Amino acid sequence: MSQMDALLLYCRAGFEKECAAEIIANAAQLGVHGYVKAEPGSAWVLFQCASAEEVKLLTTELPFYRQIFARQWICVSPLIEGLPEGDRLTAVRARVAELVPRYSEIWVETPDTDAAKTRLGFCGRFTKPLTNALEKKNQLALGSSAPRLHVCFVADDAAFVGVIDADNSSPWFMGIPRVRVGKDAPSRSAGKLVEALMVMIPEDRAHELKAGMRAVDLGAAPGGWSWVLALRGIRVTAVDNGPMAAVAMATEMIEHVRGDGFSYRPHRPVNWLVCDMVESPSRIAQLVAEWIARGHARHAIFNLKLPMKKRLEEVRRCADIIEQRLAREDINYSIEIKHLYHDREEVTVCLMQDKAVR
Ligand SMILES: C[S@@+](CC[C@H](N)C(=O)[O-])C[C@H]1O[C@@H](n2cnc3c(N)ncnc32)[C@H](O)[C@@H]1O
């Protein structure tokens, strides 16, 4: 019987090193030491552990939302290789039959690279016969608390098969949220904020971003982020020396202030600070921490533009800067840092002060 003794992680192509370094460090904190298989540009990382128990420990003890660079994680059995073109189903079905008694859902996926995604049509066609096979064996319990089945074709003739619990993993196929951004969005960046609002604000705190609130957007031009907030009924002060797009200003919810984002401060506190300035990450971390520490804004969403090297170290340095500054003011907060689907050489941070403050 195959053991699910490895953890498969999906990430953006080119970020395999960061994804690997992160899981190695997080696993080590639980006393789990494994080795990594990661090919640059493949968009997946395999963290091989000594036992299935260790892999299970990781996915139960580590909160998935705390993984910065992983889009998804799956406990997997050894790679099935050499699948014949005419019949890939038999071997996959045999593996699926032996892993767990029941599955709540079936996702047949590929890594997120242009080459791999050409297999998505095949994945779609593969799902139906696999579903039928599981139904026949009474192994499908849709909507139950059973783990979700993932089959990931990392090559035309090779697939990982494994499971993950829905309550500690990404709820999105291939770990990619389906984000809808209006066609007239002033910039591609708008998608980043839409995604951040969708995946980073917990459901029980959704009311903390609502119509009637006020926000400041530092580095706002041409206005994608301001526009996203304006469409939610939030009044935005958009700070940037550059011009704002007419479509954003036409919302009548945005005041454009031409000025420097580092020296601007609001006359009265705002609910949200958002910031997408292209600047050194530690400078942005200091600035945001200062805004929160001095009570200029209650919550913040911001980007940290990452250098090509030492990206994980840089993110950790920024988290430390924020922690140290807010600890001085005794401010309790939760922070989530994520390499979102819409992020390229950057990560997005959502910092929310806890309900009971000071
Ligand atoms: C990536 S763009 C922002 C895009 C914007 N979030 C959107 O959705 O359209 C970065 C912006 O930051 C602005 N910027 C950079 N440094 C700044 C500073 N010190 N003060 C104000 N704006 C700054 C630039 O002018 C640029 O418009």
Side-chain angles (χ1 to χ4, degrees):
M1 180 148 160
S2 301
Q3 292 282 310
M4 290 184 281
D5 57 4
L7 190 65
L8 176 68
L9 303 115
Y10 300 160
C11 63
R12 174 180 273 281
F15 284 78
E16 296 80 11
K17 221 172 92 194
E18 289 72 21
C19 188
E22 190 180 18
I23 193 64
I24 289 171
N26 290 345
Q29 285 181 359
L30 295 176
V32 175
H33 303 279
Y35 66 87
V36 155
K37 183 182 171 196
E39 276 171 39
S42 66
W44 60 273
V45 165
L46 192 73
F47 183 59
Q48 181 66 54
C49 299
S51 69
E53 288 70 35
E54 284 188 345
V55 176
K56 184 79 188 153
L57 182 76
L58 297 183
T59 57
T60 44
E61 292 300 314
L62 297 173
F64 177 71
Y65 79 92
R66 286 255 167 233
Q67 306 302 307
I68 299 169
F69 291 98
R71 286 182 183 171
Q72 184 60 285
W73 62 7
I74 306 153
C75 310
V76 291
S77 54
L79 183 65
I80 310 176
E81 292 179 274
L83 291 166
E85 200 183 328
D87 176 21
R88 296 168 176 117
L89 187 62
T90 304
V92 170
R93 197 174 50 192
R95 180 67 62 83
V96 168
E98 67 180 23
L99 291 184
V100 296
R102 281 199 171 73
Y103 302 96
S104 61
E105 215 172 337
I106 302 173
W107 287 357
V108 182
E109 303 172 310
T110 73
D112 181 26
T113 65
D114 290 342
K117 280 193 301 190
T118 58
R119 276 178 230 123
L120 274 177
F122 162 77
C123 291
R125 292 192 298 282
F126 193 85
T127 308
K128 183 78 184 146
L130 186 59
T131 306
N132 291 345
L134 288 181
E135 271 173 347
K136 251 194 211 156
K137 292 200 170 240
N138 202 19
Q139 276 198 288
L140 201 56
L142 291 177
S144 71
S145 60
R148 190 171 55 222
L149 169 66
H150 289 256
V151 178
C152 179
F153 279 92
V154 292
D156 288 349
D157 66 346
F160 282 106
V161 178
V163 301
I164 191 67
D165 286 334
D167 60 7
N168 193 25
S169 60
S170 165
W172 308 101
F173 181 77
M174 287 169 62
I176 301 175
R178 263 174 241 121
V179 171
R180 285 211 181 91
V181 189
K183 271 193 267 108
D184 50 353
S187 64
R188 197 193 64 82
S189 277
K192 283 190 286 190
L193 189 62
V194 176
E195 183 180 351
L197 298 181
M198 190 166 94
V199 306
M200 299 181 99
I201 298 183
E203 247 170 60
D204 63 340
R205 304 200 68 180
H207 61 279
E208 295 190 51
L209 188 132
K210 62 174 190 234
M213 289 184 163
R214 304 189 74 87
V216 169
D217 182 359
L218 300 178
W225 286 28
S226 296
W227 174 81
V228 168
L229 294 172
L231 294 193
R232 288 175 178 242
I234 294 170
R235 293 205 166 274
V236 186
T237 303
V239 183
D240 202 308
N241 276 315
M244 294 288 283
V247 65
M249 299 312 291
T251 60
E252 298 288 340
M253 298 292 281
I254 301 171
E255 180 200 3
H256 183 191
V257 173
R258 288 182 192 275
D260 176 31
F262 284 94
S263 49
Y264 174 85
R265 297 292 183 273
H267 298 301
R268 58 188 173 105
V270 295
N271 306 90
W272 285 87
L273 166 67
V274 298
C275 173
D276 189 23
M277 289 192 286
V278 183
E279 251 295 342
S280 94
S282 53
R283 245 194 120 190
I284 299 291
Q286 277 160 14
L287 178 70
V288 173
E290 207 51 37
W291 269 66
I292 301 290
R294 292 190 178 274
H296 295 309
R298 186 151 173 75
H299 310 301
I301 292 180
F302 54 102
N303 265 178
L304 298 173
K305 314 284 175 189
L306 298 179
M308 282 308 282
K309 288 188 181 159
K310 304 204 180 247
R311 291 159 172 156
L312 185 58
E313 291 87 333
E314 192 65 37
V315 175
R316 290 200 175 126
R317 206 156 70 90
C318 291
D320 285 348
I321 288 171
I322 293 167
E323 192 184 323
Q324 281 168 23
R325 180 67 186 94
L326 298 193
R328 289 210 319 256
E329 307 297 329
D330 232 359
I331 291 177
N332 296 317
Y333 65 99
S334 23
I335 190 165
E336 184 175 346
I337 309 174
K338 215 58 201 164
H339 192 212
L340 297 176
Y341 178 69
H342 284 81
D343 285 335
R344 296 199 175 172
E345 300 293 328
E346 67 217 331
V347 290
T348 301
V349 186
C350 178
L351 186 165
M352 294 183 77
Q353 288 190 55
D354 288 350
K355 285 167 207 163
V357 203
R358 289 178 205 199

